[in-house]
Amino acid sequence: QRFELVSEDELEDAVRAYAHGGIRAEGAAAAALALALREELPRPVVLIVTGRNIDDALYDRILSDEP
């Protein structure tokens, strides 16, 4: 088993990446993508997006803070 921690910034980057693909995802749902964006994972990689329950104001703030 492997457990990893991702930062709030990494979660926000992942939420933005999903949004660019037309997927609305909450932070918890974006955690796996945050890790995949941070480090090279063995291919193929399958990520399951399981949550869209994100506050509208938070979601808008994340998307407006584009790097």
Side-chain angles (χ1 to χ4, degrees), residues 21-49:
I23 300 170
R24 181 178 173 127
E26 65 184 40
L33 179 58
L35 178 64
L37 293 172
R38 181 174 74 198
E39 59 185 64
E40 188 69 28
L41 298 177
R43 302 287 187 232
V45 175
V46 176
L47 304 176
I48 299 171
V49 183

Side-chain angles (χ1 to χ4, degrees), residues 2-67:
R2 178 178 168 184
F3 295 92
E4 293 285 337
L5 297 176
V6 293
S7 71
E8 291 292 323
D9 288 340
E10 290 172 315
L11 288 174
E12 290 182 5
D13 289 344
V15 168
R16 277 192 289 277
Y18 274 131
H20 278 93
I23 300 170
R24 181 178 173 127
E26 65 184 40
L33 179 58
L35 178 64
L37 293 172
R38 181 174 74 198
E39 59 185 64
E40 188 69 28
L41 298 177
R43 302 287 187 232
V45 175
V46 176
L47 304 176
I48 299 171
V49 183
T50 60
R52 296 174 38 147
N53 187 23
I54 186 170
D55 178 75
D56 288 335
L58 174 60
Y59 188 70
D60 291 342
R61 186 196 56 76
I62 290 170
L63 296 186
S64 69
D65 284 348
E66 300 264 347

